[in-house]
CSV table of all heavy atoms in Angstrom, one decimal:
chain,number,residue,atom,x,y,z
A,412,PRO,N,8.1,0.4,33.6
A,412,PRO,CA,7.5,0.0,35.0
A,412,PRO,C,6.8,1.1,35.7
A,412,PRO,O,5.8,0.9,36.4
A,412,PRO,CB,8.6,-0.6,35.7
A,412,PRO,CG,9.9,-0.4,34.8
A,412,PRO,CD,9.5,0.2,33.6
A,413,SER,N,7.3,2.2,35.7
A,413,SER,CA,6.7,3.3,36.5
A,413,SER,C,5.4,3.7,36.0
A,413,SER,O,4.4,4.0,36.7
A,413,SER,CB,7.7,4.5,36.6
A,413,SER,OG,7.9,5.0,35.3
A,414,ALA,N,5.3,3.7,34.7
A,414,ALA,CA,4.0,3.8,34.0
A,414,ALA,C,2.9,2.8,34.4
A,414,ALA,O,1.8,3.0,34.7
A,414,ALA,CB,4.1,4.0,32.5
A,415,ALA,N,3.4,1.5,34.3
A,415,ALA,CA,2.6,0.3,34.7
A,415,ALA,C,2.0,0.5,36.1
A,415,ALA,O,1.0,0.3,36.4
A,415,ALA,CB,3.2,-0.9,34.4
A,416,GLU,N,3.0,0.9,37.0
A,416,GLU,CA,2.6,0.9,38.5
A,416,GLU,C,1.6,2.1,38.6
A,416,GLU,O,0.6,2.0,39.3
A,416,GLU,CB,3.9,1.3,39.3
A,416,GLU,CG,4.9,0.0,39.4
A,416,GLU,CD,6.1,0.5,40.0
A,416,GLU,OE1,6.2,1.6,40.5
A,416,GLU,OE2,7.1,-0.4,40.0
A,417,ALA,N,1.8,3.1,37.9
A,417,ALA,CA,0.8,4.3,38.0
A,417,ALA,C,-0.5,3.9,37.5
A,417,ALA,O,-1.5,4.3,38.1
A,417,ALA,CB,1.4,5.6,37.3
A,418,GLN,N,-0.5,3.1,36.5
A,418,GLN,CA,-1.8,2.6,36.0
A,418,GLN,C,-2.5,1.8,36.9
A,418,GLN,O,-3.7,1.8,37.2
A,418,GLN,CB,-1.6,2.0,34.6
A,418,GLN,CG,-1.4,2.8,33.5
A,418,GLN,CD,-1.2,2.1,32.2
A,418,GLN,OE1,-0.9,0.9,32.1
A,418,GLN,NE2,-1.5,2.8,31.0
A,419,GLU,N,-1.8,0.8,37.5
A,419,GLU,CA,-2.3,-0.1,38.6
A,419,GLU,C,-2.9,0.7,39.7
A,419,GLU,O,-3.9,0.4,40.3
A,419,GLU,CB,-1.3,-1.1,39.1
A,419,GLU,CG,-0.9,-2.2,37.9
A,419,GLU,CD,0.2,-3.1,38.4
A,419,GLU,OE1,0.5,-3.1,39.6
A,419,GLU,OE2,0.8,-3.7,37.5
A,420,ARG,N,-2.1,1.7,40.2
A,420,ARG,CA,-2.5,2.5,41.3
A,420,ARG,C,-3.8,3.3,41.0
A,420,ARG,O,-4.7,3.2,41.9
A,420,ARG,CB,-1.4,3.5,41.8
A,420,ARG,CG,-0.6,3.1,42.8
A,420,ARG,CD,0.4,4.2,43.3
A,420,ARG,NE,1.5,4.1,42.4
A,420,ARG,CZ,2.1,5.1,41.9
A,420,ARG,NH1,1.8,6.3,42.2
A,420,ARG,NH2,3.2,4.8,41.1
A,421,ALA,N,-3.9,3.8,39.9
A,421,ALA,CA,-5.1,4.5,39.4
A,421,ALA,C,-6.2,3.5,39.4
A,421,ALA,O,-7.3,3.9,39.7
A,421,ALA,CB,-4.8,5.2,38.0
A,422,GLN,N,-6.0,2.3,38.9
A,422,GLN,CA,-7.1,1.4,38.8
A,422,GLN,C,-7.6,0.9,40.3
A,422,GLN,O,-8.8,0.8,40.5
A,422,GLN,CB,-6.6,0.1,38.0
A,422,GLN,CG,-7.7,-1.0,37.8
A,422,GLN,CD,-8.9,-0.4,37.0
A,422,GLN,OE1,-8.7,0.5,36.1
A,422,GLN,NE2,-10.0,-0.9,37.2
A,423,ARG,N,-6.7,0.7,41.2
A,423,ARG,CA,-7.0,0.4,42.5
A,423,ARG,C,-7.8,1.6,43.2
A,423,ARG,O,-8.8,1.3,43.9
A,423,ARG,CB,-5.8,0.1,43.4
A,423,ARG,CG,-5.3,-1.3,43.0
A,423,ARG,CD,-4.1,-1.7,44.1
A,423,ARG,NE,-3.1,-0.6,44.1
A,423,ARG,CZ,-1.8,-1.0,43.6
A,423,ARG,NH1,-1.4,-2.1,43.5
A,423,ARG,NH2,-0.9,0.0,43.6
Side-chain angles (χ1 to χ4, degrees):
S413 60
E416 289 172 11
Q418 284 178 342
E419 287 176 18
R420 262 186 276 139
Q422 184 63 32
R423 280 191 300 244

